[in-house]
Each structure stands twice: as structure tokens, then as C-alpha cells.
Amino acid sequence: MTVIAVLGAGKIGEALLAGLLQGGRSAEELLFTERHPERAAELTGRYGIAGVEVAEAAKRADVLVVAVKPQDIEPVLAELAPLVGPGSLVVSLCAGLPTSLYERRLPDGVPVVRVMPNTPMVVGEAMSAVSPGKHATPEHVALVKEMLATVGQVVEVPEAQQDAVTALSGSGPAYFFFLVEAMIDAGILLGLPRAVAEKLIIQSAVGAAKMLAETDEHPVILREAVTSPAGTTINAIRELEKHGVRAALLAAIEAARDRSVELGKAHE
């Protein structure tokens, strides 16, 4: 039996625990740590999973999933350092933090796998990218992929690409939410009730995403299919290009990538 402990039971940590349960793991195979007692009691009541201290998690678990905020990583690593060895697998869900950070702070030989998930994990539709550290074996990576497959889709990338992944899919849901928010406001500006505008745009987003996922058509082809000569859509596209929306999006994603790099360097 492989025991998995999630260190930090925020939204992502809870979503992973729920996904692992739905994927067939028993509550006895899972542990979590949580600083706030009321939150720990809530999760134990909801899922039947034991909340423990970090030391007990390190002692009992085969896999330690670190799901704390990047700025909170140092005390966690300081607590783990005397407790883990090469027999423990450490899985990092912390944006921007390289496997080399864990390998420096933890005993030699501890395998580390870096993961960049995103928040659709809470509805079982995450996009996660995994990268092994220098001590992680293909078996370690396969185990992490199996875990993450319970909450969405998984790809493996070289770690050098993780900052780009963080900017693109890690932060990606926020860009879509931002666009949907703006489109709902546009509907209200045009005289639609908010509830109607929300329904129109959210279902349009769901439908468009499903077309992208299921038709295998390039986004340009799908967009052109909506864009009739001298029609309403081409006029809207012209305005988007006039206002530099494409360039702004490219710049925004580059800025997110740069911030991910900064987070990693802050712990060098």
C-alpha cells in the first residue's frame, strides 16, 4: 500500500485528495497536513482522511505532496530535511520552485518530481505538467502521473519548460475568467440582464472548449468558420486587433513566465 500525504490542504490539496479517493484509493492510504484545526476537522469529516503533523506525515507516507504557497516553502523543507530519505518521493506543486531547491535542502538521493497543475483540478479537469528531478526514476514519474490522472490530464515536459507551463496553463484559467468577465460586462452594456449574459457567455465558453478538444481542428479554422465576409464577427475581430489584444496577451504570458523564474531564483 502506497501512503500519500498532502502537505497543505488548500483548494488544490483538497482537490487532489478528493480525486485520489474517487480514483480508488482508500482514506487509509491518504494523509494531509493543515495549519488551521477547524479546516483540518472539516476535511476529516468530509473525506474521512486523517489530518496529521508534518513529522508524522513524513514518517508514515511514501509520497509527500508539497502543496503550500511558494513563499511558505522554507519552513516546510526545514521540517522535512531530518525526516526524509531516498525512500520518500517528494512531489512539488509549488509554482516556480525547481527540483534543485528540494535537492539542496533535503538529504542526498531524495527523489523529487515537479508538477505545475491548475485550478480546474477542483472539478476534475486539471492540466498538469510533470518534470522529474535528478534522482526521480521513470517509476516515480509514472506514479505521479497516475495520481494526477484522477483529477485531469497530464503531460511530461523537461524542467526547463516549467516556467513557460506555469505562465500558460498554470495561470491560464485566470485569463479565460478575465475574458468571460469582460464579455459578460459587454452583454450588460448592450442591455442584457446579467443572468442572461452570464448564461450566454459561459455556455459559449464551454461549447468552444469542447469543440477545441474534440474536433482536432486548429483554433484558426474554428474561428474562421464563425467569421463570415463583412459580417458581425470580422468587425469584432478588427476591433480586437486594433486594440492590441493579441499582443497584450503575449506580453501578459511572458510577464507570468518571468515571475515564475523570479520565484525560483528567490530561493537560490
Side-chain angles (χ1 to χ4, degrees):
M1 181 176 72
T2 301
V3 177
I4 301 167
V6 175
L7 310 184
K11 288 185 177 179
I12 291 293
E14 180 183 357
L16 181 57
L17 290 169
L20 290 168
L21 285 172
Q22 292 170 2
R25 294 189 182 271
S26 68
E28 289 70 31
E29 296 175 83
L30 304 173
L31 302 167
F32 71 89
T33 69
E34 170 55 50
R35 288 182 300 177
H36 301 97
E38 63 280 4
R39 169 70 172 165
E42 174 190 340
L43 292 176
T44 297
R46 184 177 301 158
Y47 301 109
I49 300 171
V52 298
E53 298 296 326
V54 171
E56 185 176 353
K59 179 180 178 181
R60 292 173 55 184
D62 306 291
V63 181
L64 295 163
V65 180
V66 183
V68 300
K69 294 179 181 177
Q71 58 267 34
D72 296 332
I73 191 61
E74 293 294 347
V76 174
L77 292 179
E79 197 166 0
L80 286 178
L83 303 171
V84 299
S88 301
L89 170 59
V90 175
V91 180
S92 172
L93 303 189
C94 302
L97 302 187
T99 56
S100 59
L101 167 66
Y102 294 83
E103 290 162 354
R104 288 196 307 270
R105 300 289 198 276
L106 300 177
D108 188 46
V110 173
V112 181
V113 175
R114 178 176 175 179
V115 177
M116 186 66 242
N118 60 16
T119 55
M121 185 182 287
V122 302
V123 292
E125 293 290 350
M127 184 68 254
S128 300
V130 304
S131 302
K134 65 181 179 180
H135 303 301
T137 67
E139 290 74 23
H140 291 131
V141 175
L143 174 57
V144 175
K145 287 182 177 179
E146 177 190 329
M147 291 165 51
L148 294 169
T150 65
V151 288
Q153 297 190 39
V154 192
V155 296
E156 182 176 351
V157 300
E159 188 168 8
Q161 295 177 1
Q162 278 283 6
D163 291 316
V165 169
T166 300
L168 199 62
S169 64
S171 299
Y175 313 146
F176 290 111
F177 298 149
F178 186 87
L179 179 60
V180 166
E181 177 189 2
M183 293 176 74
I184 290 171
D185 285 345
I188 296 169
L189 178 65
L190 297 178
L192 293 173
R194 176 175 291 276
V196 172
E198 286 181 353
K199 188 171 184 63
L200 290 170
I201 297 306
I202 292 171
Q203 182 56 36
S204 295
V206 170
K210 192 167 185 179
M211 289 179 71
L212 285 166
E214 296 184 3
T215 65
D216 288 329
E217 294 281 9
H218 193 280
V220 169
I221 301 299
L222 294 173
R223 178 181 60 77
E224 287 180 346
V226 189
T227 311
S228 304
T232 58
T233 305
I234 192 61
N235 275 273
I237 297 295
R238 180 187 63 182
E239 290 300 314
L240 291 172
E241 296 290 10
K242 185 189 298 184
H243 288 279
V245 172
R246 187 188 303 268
L249 188 57
L250 292 172
I253 293 173
E254 281 189 314
R257 186 274 317 274
D258 293 344
R259 178 55 180 156
S260 180
V261 172
E262 287 177 2
L263 288 170
K265 288 183 176 180
H267 295 277
E268 289 181 352

